[in-house]
Amino acid sequence: MNINRLVETMTREEKVALVSGYDQWHTVEIPRLGIPSIMVSDGPHGLRKQGAEGDHLGIGISTPSTCFPPAATSANSWDPGLLYAMGQAIGEEALQEGVSVVLGPGVNIKRSPLCGRNFEYFSEDPWLAGELAKGWIEGVQSIGVGACIKHFAANSQERWRMLNDSLVDERALREIYLAAFEHAVREAQPWTLMPAYNKLNGAYCCENQELLESILRTEWGFEGATISDWGAVNDPTLSIRAGLDLEMPASYGVSAQQLEEDLVSGRLTEHALNKAVRRVLELVAKGQAQKREFRYDADAHHGLARKIAAESAVLLKNTDGVLPLSKEQKVCIVGQFAEHPRYQGTGSSQINPSRLDTILGLLEKEKAPYTYAKGYEL
């Protein structure tokens, strides 16, 4: 794909169409020029591929996939190698399903227990978050599938997330909120990066030129494409001028109309639009070039998920050596999570697991003696 020639050949209508999604999960195809569509999909802890239109809220059903431990758990391992293996496995599942970019990892810093997405962020510590993100990204991209590091930046709470303005001074921003992103971008070069919903110091992240151009590209040397969080674009022209490349999901012509009007009025220059178009084309070319037939080993991936969960378990104190329990020792199991476990977050991380182990099921399999009281109704 000769990208420079394509940009010169494309009509204005084709350019403004390309910088917005076709639907929830696909880029725009332009058959006249042989430009294909590629698919992106959630999420950080397993593939959440949806058919047809789908949704980004985790409401609709998705293709069964391996459900890996969320970042809140895997960070307890302090093991980038395990995160590399997880990313590699998720990349294999994406490759099988024809997905070119997996939307993860999430590396925002946990600053409040009220943040609804803490389960999909690694840590309060920027160094740990950056190292684990680097491992995950390198694992996914070793398969030929792109990663999308998110949510950039200072996305610290879910309530009013479309309106929040995170006010952060320069030192805190650099040493805490940007540090994990910087480390992962410099070391792993993810294919894509996702600006967040919120404002940062007065400017929406998708319209924040200091964030997307001065810091991300000029200082850190980011070479990939920027993809908005789903529905995060407030003004498509300001976003492109600031360094956003692809608005997701589809705006169904609304953004295209504004971009065309602003090109005519001079509010948007052809040069700024061409930069975004070129990066989208580079992403499409990279994703298309890596597509191939592949079948992953579901048993091996389930075993890997179990291993990561075990390696991430934290034991504060083994009082009097009570652990490990013997198979002959009778135990009492209390609570319905033993039958119906809560094992992941919701929304974009809502995986449809290909298989699910339960405490009671495993005790039965091991023929271990136990009593069970379900306790309160869930």
Side-chain angles (χ1 to χ4, degrees), residues 14-325:
E14 289 167 338
K15 289 178 181 179
V16 298
L18 191 68
V19 295
S20 183
Y22 172 74
D23 56 15
Q24 281 285 342
W25 303 115
H26 296 84
T27 61
V28 168
E29 177 186 22
I30 304 178
R32 182 183 77 85
L33 298 173
I35 299 171
S37 171
I38 61 169
M39 184 176 190
V40 304
S41 186
D42 293 322
H45 316 125
L47 191 68
R48 194 179 75 90
K49 180 193 176 185
Q50 292 183 312
E53 267 293 283
D55 67 88
H56 72 286
L57 300 173
I59 298 171
I61 196 68
S62 58
T63 302
S65 62
T66 307
C67 184
F68 289 91
T73 297
S74 62
N76 296 334
S77 71
W78 291 71
D79 188 343
L82 279 181
L83 271 297
Y84 183 97
M86 181 197 294
Q88 195 171 50
I90 293 173
E92 289 179 351
E93 299 193 19
L95 194 62
Q96 175 178 304
E97 297 297 330
V99 172
S100 296
V101 176
V102 179
L103 304 176
V107 302
N108 288 84
I109 297 302
K110 301 179 186 182
R111 299 299 286 171
S112 166
L114 301 180
C115 179
R117 301 184 87 154
N118 276 346
F119 70 91
E120 71 177 37
Y121 298 147
F122 288 115
S123 178
E124 306 95 320
D125 178 72
W127 175 256
L128 177 61
E131 278 287 290
L132 297 181
K134 173 179 177 283
W136 194 97
I137 292 165
E138 290 179 339
V140 170
Q141 295 188 168
S142 72
I143 301 299
V145 172
C148 183
I149 191 168
K150 61 183 186 181
H151 307 84
F152 191 60
N155 180 19
S156 301
Q157 69 180 63
E158 285 296 280
R159 188 171 177 83
W160 308 112
R161 65 182 182 176
M162 312 294 277
L163 303 172
N164 285 332
D165 189 358
S166 297
L167 304 178
V168 191
D169 67 38
E170 182 74 10
R171 181 174 180 181
L173 185 65
R174 296 291 186 152
E175 295 184 1
I176 300 174
Y177 295 98
L178 296 185
F181 286 101
E182 178 179 8
H183 184 72
V185 165
R186 288 183 183 274
E187 296 292 325
Q189 275 294 341
W191 287 13
T192 64
L193 174 142
M194 182 185 292
Y197 287 118
N198 55 283
K199 295 177 183 179
L200 176 61
N201 292 332
Y204 282 108
C205 289
C206 288
E207 301 173 5
N208 196 314
Q209 189 167 11
E210 181 183 8
L211 194 64
L212 301 184
E213 286 289 351
S214 300
I215 295 174
L216 179 64
R217 295 192 185 278
T218 303
E219 289 189 29
W220 299 352
F222 178 65
E223 299 172 354
T226 52
I227 303 176
S228 76
D229 205 342
W230 266 231
V233 169
N234 179 60
D235 183 323
T237 293
L238 289 181
S239 294
I240 287 178
R241 283 165 47 180
L244 183 74
D245 301 316
L246 177 60
E247 174 187 5
M248 288 297 289
S251 68
Y252 299 102
V254 174
S255 292
Q257 181 178 344
Q258 181 176 338
L259 293 176
E260 289 194 42
E261 291 173 356
D262 289 344
L263 283 165
V264 172
S265 71
R267 186 169 180 254
L268 177 65
T269 65
E270 195 90 24
H271 176 72
L273 177 61
N274 285 347
K275 285 201 298 183
V277 168
R278 187 172 286 105
R279 288 167 185 156
V280 173
L281 288 173
E282 288 170 352
L283 175 64
V284 169
K286 194 180 296 185
Q288 188 67 19
Q290 299 290 350
K291 285 185 177 180
R292 59 191 186 274
E293 289 294 320
F294 188 89
R295 302 296 297 178
Y296 71 89
D297 186 335
D299 290 335
H301 286 194
H302 185 66
L304 175 62
R306 287 175 59 104
K307 177 184 178 181
I308 295 171
E311 293 293 328
S312 302
V314 177
L315 178 64
L316 296 182
K317 186 177 182 180
N318 191 8
T319 304
D320 299 326
V322 67
L323 297 178
L325 301 174

